[in-house]
Amino acid sequence: MRPRKTILCVDDNEQVLSIRKFLLETRGYRVLAVTTGHEALEILRDAPLGSIDLLLCDLLLPQMDGNEVVRRGKQLHPMLPALLVSGTVTSFERASAADAFLPKGAFSPAEMLDRIRILVTRKRGPKKHVQPAVLDDIAIAS
C-alpha cells in the first residue's frame, strides 16, 4: 500500500473546510485542516521538509491572505506545491504565489481532485527509469 499524501488545508469557513476534508480523506489523502494562515505556518514550521505534499488554501482569509500564506509556506518548504481557491474569480491576479488557482463554485469536486493529483505528482517528480542490470562475464562464469 502506498503511503498517504498529506494535504494542509486552510479555510476560515469551517463548513467548507469540513466538506473539503471529508472529500479528500475519502480519496485516501491525510488532511491537516486549519482555519487561519498563522496555524498553517505553525504546522509548516514544525513539519520536516517533504512531509506535506500540498498546501490547499483559500485566498481570502482574515489577518493574512492566502497568497501570503503560500509565499511564506514556500519559504519554509521550497518544493511545496500550492493550490489557491477563491470565491471571487477576479482574485486570480492576486494569486501569484500559488502553482494553481481554482475559483470557488466554478469547478466540480472531480476537477479539484484532478488538479490536486497533478500537483502532488509534480511534487514527487518524474518517475525514474531503472536501467536493466548488466551482468558481468565474471559474474556469469562464477
Side-chain angles (χ1 to χ4, degrees):
M1 190 170 148
R2 292 186 314 193
R4 293 169 41 170
K5 299 295 180 191
T6 302
I7 297 175
L8 176 55
C9 195
V10 189
D11 200 310
D12 59 323
N13 182 327
E14 291 187 25
Q15 185 176 9
V16 169
L17 188 62
S18 176
I19 292 168
R20 199 168 287 150
K21 181 176 183 324
F22 176 77
L23 175 70
L24 294 169
E25 286 179 339
T26 58
R27 299 311 189 279
Y29 294 103
R30 180 174 169 250
V31 180
L32 306 173
V34 296
T35 56
T36 70
H38 294 291
E39 289 174 296
L41 292 175
E42 279 180 37
I43 288 173
L44 289 170
R45 256 191 291 281
D46 295 340
L49 283 178
S51 63
I52 296 178
D53 299 292
L54 177 70
L55 173 58
L56 175 58
C57 189
D58 188 17
L59 180 61
L60 302 175
L61 295 169
Q63 296 155 1
M64 180 187 319
D65 76 352
N67 208 37
E68 183 66 12
V69 174
V70 169
R71 191 183 66 69
R72 290 185 188 186
K74 285 182 174 272
Q75 287 174 345
L76 297 166
H77 292 255
M79 300 303 291
L80 179 66
L83 174 60
L84 278 174
V85 292
S86 177
T88 37
V89 178
T90 58
S91 299
F92 175 70
E93 51 281 356
R94 289 182 41 205
S96 60
D99 298 294
F101 175 83
L102 287 174
K104 277 185 192 171
F107 62 90
S108 69
E111 288 173 301
M112 183 178 78
L113 289 167
D114 193 46
R115 186 70 59 98
I116 287 170
R117 183 186 54 75
I118 290 167
L119 288 169
V120 168
T121 302
R122 191 182 305 157
K123 178 207 176 233
R124 189 175 60 230
K127 291 183 180 177
K128 294 180 179 158
H129 296 286
V130 179
Q131 296 291 334
V134 178
L135 299 176
D136 292 340
D137 291 331
I138 300 169
I140 295 171
S142 1

